[in-house]
DNA sequence: GTCTATAGTCGGATAGAC
DNA sequence: GTCTATCCGACTATAGAC
């Protein structure tokens, strides 16, 4: 899932022979650029961000961006690939769990899996220092899509699809429009704490969303989802 | 609620005497600038937006921004005031309804009012051509607050406070942390359709979110909220 | 691979004519 | 109130030294 993040002309020579373990300077620079670009693009957007700021924040030379990625927009695309790769890695365990629950096709198993998945989702998008930057980048792509959007959407769509199967199984319903809508409302209950975080902190009197706060959020969301699956989405309603 | 949007030196003279009804050219220009700035700031952010683009889109001269507002950042603040004023106007009827329901202090009335309020909220943030621009601007402020954030927060915080009282009344609970959290999860169920709209359209196979789609969203959200109030937030759970 | 220097463009703000 | 012309700083991208 982690696609190529750079395509520089492959260097075959080391400029000098060092005594100690040789490491790939280019990879180091690309990594630093990706991290800095993730932050700056997330805050300023593709247009608003400047390559100077990214290079400065990465601690590398301005020209390295063109050398390693080809230009500003290519770096932006590389960031999208990087995010999808990272989230995929983090979500791998739960995604597997979802697939299993679907295979089992037991409503009870699906319901349990859904609670687990949403809990993990809370941790991934709220409990990770990186996640704040990911969210900014992703939300920006949603509201102002660039060419990087298709990379993001491919991944997000897959996750939504898996969750839809899970909810459909839990409700013993087909994967119809209503189920897909309900999945979005479940995601939204978590997303709001990321997207409106400034407002949340102010209204809750929290200084940050840490482990304690995440636990509270998880409990409320979990109760809500159980209530929804029990009452709102039940067949023959 | 609609604060001063501009403070130019008051002109006392008309440059020419027209035969027909005299209109305020300055006010016209300010209005066009506010509308254009709302769009451009929402898409590009305070830093990313350029005054040249705003002026061009408004069809006015570049220097008019400095003349009427004082500069780029002051125009940005004026846009925030404008948004808050417009949303306040649109939500006035429901806000009054919320206050009434609270006075009644009847859980049943509060529940009904909450459903109404959320339905209106769907219409306001999803059913208005202006709302797409408002949302972009507001979400951007949430994720990357500028000085305009405090204007936005004052209004949003008030709305959240009213909804909290309503939910507390419906649940016969105090306005504690859990109730406030649950209000956020309810808001999130609607917000997701705005914030992740690109993904929603793709997954639902919709071309746009029009009246038909809003009705479906309202039904699902309403059912969810009823389920939550019935099961998840009930006292003595 | 990384650097400096620079070409060419575009940014916000201003001065002053009308 | 609106306009043109302009200052000056910052931008992306490139060329070429090391």
């Amino acid at each position: 899932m982690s696609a190529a993040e750079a395509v520089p002309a492959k260097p075959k020579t080391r400029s000098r022979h060092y005594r100690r373990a040789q490491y790939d300077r280019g990879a180091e620079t690309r990594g630093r650029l990706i991290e800095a670009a993730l932050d700056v693009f997330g805050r300023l957007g593709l247009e608003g961000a400047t390559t100077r700021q990214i290079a400065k924040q990465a601690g590398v030379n301005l020209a390295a961006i063109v050398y390693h990625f080809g230009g500003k927009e290519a770096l932006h695309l590389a960031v999208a690939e990087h995010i999808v790769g990272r989230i995929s890695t983090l979500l791998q365990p739960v995604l597997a769990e979802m697939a299993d629950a679907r295979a089992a096709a037991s409503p009870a198993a699906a319901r349990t899996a859904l609670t687990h998945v949403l809990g993990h989702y809370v941790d991934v998008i709220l409990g990770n220092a990186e996640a704040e930057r990911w969210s900014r980048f992703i939300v920006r792509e949603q509201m102002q899509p660039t060419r990087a959007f298709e990379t993001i959407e491919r991944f997000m769509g897959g996750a939504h699809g898996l969750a839809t199967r899970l909810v459909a199984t839990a409700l013993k319903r087909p994967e119809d429009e209503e189920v897909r809508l309900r999945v979005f409302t479940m995601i939204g209950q978590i997303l709001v704490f990321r997207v409106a975080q400034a407002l949340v902190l102010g209204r809750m009197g929290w200084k940050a969303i840490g482990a304690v706060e995440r636990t509270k959020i998880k409990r409320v969301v979990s109760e809500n989802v159980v209530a929804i699956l029990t009452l709102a989405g039940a067949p023959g309603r």
Side-chain angles (χ1 to χ4, degrees), chain A residues 5-14 24-27 30 63-70:
Chain A
E5 284 175 349
V7 216
K10 277 293 159 52
K12 287 301 175 196
T13 59
R14 289 259 77 92
D24 188 341
R25 278 218 297 164
R30 283 190 291 277
I65 291 174
V66 174
Y67 179 78
H68 286 289
F69 296 94

Side-chain angles (χ1 to χ4, degrees), chain A residues 14 16-17 38 66 70 78 84 91 101 114 118 147 152 173 177 184 208 233:
Chain A
R14 289 259 77 92
R16 294 289 181 274
H17 50 283
L38 167 53
V66 174
V84 167
L91 248 33
L114 190 62
L118 292 177
R147 284 181 50 200
I152 301 288
R173 285 173 61 98
E177 192 170 59
F184 276 119

Side-chain angles (χ1 to χ4, degrees), chain A residues 140-159:
Chain A
R140 194 174 285 276
E141 281 300 317
Q142 290 287 330
M143 311 221 320
Q144 192 67 21
T146 69
R147 284 181 50 200
F149 176 70
E150 110 184 19
T151 297
I152 301 288
E153 189 184 32
R154 204 176 313 124
F155 171 75
M156 305 276 284

Side-chain angles (χ1 to χ4, degrees), chain A residues 98-149:
Chain A
M98 283 162 101
D100 283 357
R102 188 211 170 192
S106 144
R111 185 177 296 209
T112 304
L114 190 62
T115 303
H116 278 172
V117 165
L118 292 177
H120 275 258
Y121 186 54
V122 168
D123 286 331
V124 169
I125 80 162
L126 294 177
N128 196 310
E130 289 172 284
E132 184 173 354
R133 297 192 286 273
W134 297 341
S135 309
R136 272 200 289 253
F137 191 98
I138 291 173
V139 170
R140 194 174 285 276
E141 281 300 317
Q142 290 287 330
M143 311 221 320
Q144 192 67 21
T146 69
R147 284 181 50 200
F149 176 70

